[in-house]
Amino acid sequence: MTLQSFKESLSALNPPSDISEYLKALWYDAHGDWDKAHKIIQDIDDKSASLIHAYLHRKEGDLFNANYWYNKAARNTPASSTDIEWEQIVTEFL
């Protein structure tokens, strides 16, 4: 799957069945369901999930919480927009 085909899948009602939980969370976020994305990712305890968790909180404007999760992910808060960050994270997990 490419970034383009992942983006094209956003026109569907459900995410592709063969993607990881990380990508499902990012799919739901881009599909407009931040809560579902957060529910998927919040119970996964690894650096990858922490990165997505950080992105989600940054997107909602909770920078204090986002910084906590970026630290858990061993990443810096990006200087780019959340749209660019979303694309970078999706690409990383494809």
Side-chain angles (χ1 to χ4, degrees), residues 66-81:
N67 286 330
Y68 168 81
W69 290 103
Y70 283 118
N71 284 333
K72 283 193 65 124
R75 302 278 186 110
N76 294 320
T77 304
S80 63
S81 70

Side-chain angles (χ1 to χ4, degrees), residues 20-34:
S20 68
E21 292 298 295
Y22 307 113
L23 287 170
K24 281 181 188 173
L26 292 162
W27 188 93
Y28 279 109
D29 169 63
H31 206 253
D33 195 341
W34 187 97

Side-chain angles (χ1 to χ4, degrees), residues 6-23:
F6 187 79
K7 286 180 174 181
E8 289 169 2
S9 78
L10 294 171
S11 64
L13 294 176
N14 295 299
S17 60
D18 59 344
I19 61 174
S20 68
E21 292 298 295
Y22 307 113
L23 287 170

